[in-house]
Amino acid sequence: MFTTSNLRSVMQLAWQFVKRNGLTMSEALKTAWRNVKLQMEMKKGIVKFYFQKVDGSIREAYGTLNENFLPESKGSERKQNDTVQAYFDTEVQEYRCFKKANLAA
């Protein structure tokens, strides 16, 4: 179920893609929806997804944001970056991130 805050997140993310990455509004909305849906699924459990790495190759990842799978935090708080999505990689048991604009279909 999508709430008003989810729709707001989609539009903000889409405008960010248009401004920073030069995507058309259509491409930006598709990518923004994929990001929001992925984030919602990762909060439920482990999800398989793909993204383009900086070198151009496609990476297959298994990640989660579900509290049941996350390790105990060490207390270091990082500054939030709106252009990347952090996730817990269940294959290597470490935190990873990818650029939201590079999420593959």
Side-chain angles (χ1 to χ4, degrees):
M1 170 109 180
F2 294 106
T3 62
T4 305
S5 65
N6 290 37
L7 297 175
R8 184 177 296 121
S9 298
V10 168
M11 288 306 293
Q12 288 174 341
L13 196 54
W15 276 113
Q16 176 183 318
F17 294 152
V18 169
K19 291 176 191 173
R20 292 185 182 172
N21 302 95
L23 298 178
T24 65
M25 192 57 172
S26 175
E27 293 170 323
L29 281 168
K30 288 175 188 174
T31 306
W33 273 112
R34 279 196 304 269
N35 275 280
V36 169
K37 288 178 182 178
L38 175 64
Q39 191 172 25
M40 289 173 56
E41 289 298 314
M42 283 198 296
K43 287 181 181 177
K44 294 178 187 174
I46 299 171
V47 180
K48 176 182 174 181
F49 59 97
Y50 299 89
F51 63 90
Q52 184 177 6
K53 294 176 21 175
V54 176
D55 66 4
S57 62
I58 300 293
R59 182 183 183 315
E60 177 185 76
Y62 293 88
T64 187
L65 295 174
N66 188 314
E67 296 289 329
N68 297 331
F69 298 105
L70 300 180
E72 215 174 286
S73 73
K74 297 181 177 131
S76 60
E77 191 67 29
R78 288 184 164 219
K79 183 178 166 186
Q80 189 167 350
N81 186 342
D82 293 337
T83 62
V84 298
Q85 174 65 55
Y87 67 96
F88 185 73
D89 191 325
T90 56
E91 291 181 312
V92 293
Q93 297 294 309
E94 289 184 359
Y95 283 96
R96 300 278 191 235
C97 66
F98 63 91
K99 291 182 181 180
K100 291 180 180 180
N102 292 345
L103 184 60

